[in-house]
Amino acid sequence: MVDLDGLPLRADLRGQRPYGAPQLDVPVRLNVNENPYPPSAALVADLAAAVAAVGGSLNRYPDREARALRTALGAYLARQEGVTLPVEGLWAANGSNEVMLQLLQAFGGPGRCALGFAPTYSMYPDYCRDTFTRYVTVDREPDFGIDPDHAVAAVREHDPSVVLLASPNNPTGTALPLAVVEAVCAATRGVVVVDEAYAEFRRPGTPSALTLLADQPRLVVTRTMSKAFALAGARVGYLAASPAVVDAVRLVRLPYHLSAVTQAVAAAALARADELLAAVDALRAERDRLVTWLRDRGHDVADSDANFVLVGTFADRHAVWQGLLDRGVLVRETGPVGWLRVSVGTPTEMAAFRSALEEVTR
Ligand SMILES: *Cc1c(COP(=O)(O)O)cnc(C)c1O
């Protein structure tokens, strides 16, 4: 037997731990922003039929360019967001995590840096580490927003080749005004990635950076089917950008990176987008109820355009996290010191969370 110390592991990976939100088997799991509503029986039947349809040709490699899926994603964005994008400006991969890694592989690298705005998504430093890109962060404002002047100053100081703007941001739920994205685009030579993993949950009147794509050739908007589409298990993410950005990503993607099964499953789910997005409306309403309930009890809650809320501040957040877990409710101990992140679940799950929190903080 050999342990890690006995292997020629890269020096920068020594002592590191794999990504690890706890996957605990408890009744109420509100810790990784999953959609609590499983696929309907009708969708499951469609998924099974879609897999059966490709099953007979799994001896062949899949369509490397995933053109049918990218076309379906374009149709979805046209219907949902009113933006028309050519298939050449869309790209899909195994979760938006893989999309992000591909972007860092293409646009990051040794001698380059990526700029993020903390607190933000915990995977950004990992993509940077894995692509030998230096990761620098500047702090968000006290309300977790980004001040355009501060962002422009940070861009001037660090000259990043990639700017990472999560909107709505994880773990704070904060969406960015388009003016921030435009100011950053104008200031940088790099590519500007707006990570819109939670876009479908945003409140009315909150814009999407998709509307800026026509005027911003170095802007990239990433999305996922993991959250709104309740398809985290299928691993499908995508991006919209100028065709040149897609050409760059095609240089670094592994051959046949997206399996024929994944492509078929994603397309079948997109065909039922309306059904899936109906649950999103319920979750947004549940989120707004949760924010009001928490504030009524004197907690600080960041405004949320996502399917989770950041609540604080607790003198001993670990004790609160543990107390909730002892009552069968798993939330996420993440974000700034003293705050906890709670995903929005079903009404029954949120009732369990509320009564557990009342007991723990009594
Ligand atoms: C959940 C999440 C993603 C999506 O990850 P997938 O790989 O598509 O499941 C991307 N960005 C942020 C900020 C997220 O929270």
Side-chain angles (χ1 to χ4, degrees):
M1 282 292 282
V2 66
D3 65 8
L4 274 185
D5 291 335
L7 293 174
L9 184 67
R10 269 166 38 190
D12 61 318
L13 295 178
R14 284 201 189 280
Q16 300 230 344
R17 292 185 178 280
Y19 169 84
Q23 288 191 303
L24 302 178
D25 193 11
V26 297
V28 181
R29 279 175 289 176
L30 305 175
N31 73 323
V32 287
N33 302 340
E34 289 158 336
N35 189 315
Y37 296 105
S40 68
L43 175 55
V44 171
D46 286 359
L47 298 176
V51 172
V54 295
S57 51
L58 284 180
N59 57 313
R60 303 291 178 190
Y61 284 109
D63 174 10
R64 232 177 1 231
E65 303 293 340
R67 284 191 76 94
L69 173 58
R70 288 158 66 197
T71 303
L73 288 166
Y76 165 68
L77 292 179
R79 213 160 13 97
Q80 182 74 10
E81 305 281 2
V83 292
T84 312
L85 299 159
V87 62
E88 292 79 13
L90 294 154
W91 180 249
N94 294 281
S96 64
N97 267 273
E98 187 180 41
V99 172
M100 283 284 183
L101 182 64
Q102 292 173 337
L103 287 166
L104 267 296
Q105 286 175 318
F107 298 109
R112 295 178 164 207
C113 85
L115 172 65
F117 294 84
T120 191
Y121 191 34
S122 61
M123 285 303 298
Y124 295 158
D126 286 30
Y127 311 140
C128 289
R129 178 199 69 196
D130 294 343
T131 58
F132 305 96
T133 309
R134 196 161 52 86
Y135 181 54
V136 293
T137 58
V138 296
D139 286 343
R140 288 170 173 258
E141 305 302 311
D143 67 354
F144 303 125
I146 298 176
D147 178 283
D149 294 337
H150 293 174
V152 167
V155 165
R156 298 234 163 90
E157 180 183 347
H158 298 290
D159 190 20
S161 61
V162 180
V163 183
L164 298 165
L165 296 173
S167 177
N169 184 46
N170 180 4
T172 65
T174 319
L176 296 175
L178 293 186
V180 175
V181 180
E182 291 177 299
V184 169
C185 285
T188 186
R189 313 187 275 166
V191 295
V192 178
V193 182
V194 181
D195 180 351
E196 291 194 349
Y198 300 95
E200 286 89 347
F201 296 99
R202 65 197 199 271
R203 291 172 295 176
T206 305
S208 163
L210 288 169
T211 56
L212 301 178
L213 281 174
D215 300 321
Q216 303 288 355
R218 282 174 289 105
L219 176 64
V220 186
V221 180
T222 62
R223 294 253 180 138
T224 181
M225 295 185 75
S226 294
K227 311 283 167 52
F229 278 90
L231 221 59
R235 312 302 304 127
V236 185
Y238 55 103
L239 69 73
S242 61
V245 168
V246 173
D247 284 343
V249 165
R250 288 168 65 236
L251 296 173
V252 297
R253 62 114 155 81
L254 293 172
Y256 316 109
H257 68 291
L258 200 58
S259 85
V261 171
T262 304
Q263 293 182 38
V265 162
L270 282 168
R272 284 186 178 270
D274 292 344
E275 167 189 324
L276 288 159
L277 294 177
V280 166
D281 287 340
L283 288 165
R284 291 158 81 221
E286 195 65 42
R287 170 204 56 209
D288 294 340
R289 275 194 292 276
L290 175 64
V291 170
T292 304
W293 184 86
L294 288 166
R295 286 183 177 153
D296 284 349
R297 270 147 198 81
H299 296 291
D300 281 335
V301 184
D303 283 336
S304 176
D305 280 285
N307 67 338
F308 57 82
V309 303
L310 191 69
V311 54
T313 52
F314 303 106
D316 184 350
R317 77 164 168 186
H318 183 72
V320 175
W321 179 85
Q322 186 65 55
L324 293 170
L325 184 56
D326 293 343
R327 288 160 182 79
V329 179
L330 179 61
V331 301
R332 191 76 176 275
E333 194 177 354
T334 188
V337 178
W339 296 77
L340 292 170
R341 194 192 68 195
V342 185
S343 312
V344 176
T346 63
T348 310
E349 289 172 326
M350 297 327 286
F353 166 76
R354 288 192 298 267
S355 63
L357 187 69
E358 294 221 287
E359 280 182 39
V360 172
T361 56
R362 178 166 294 149

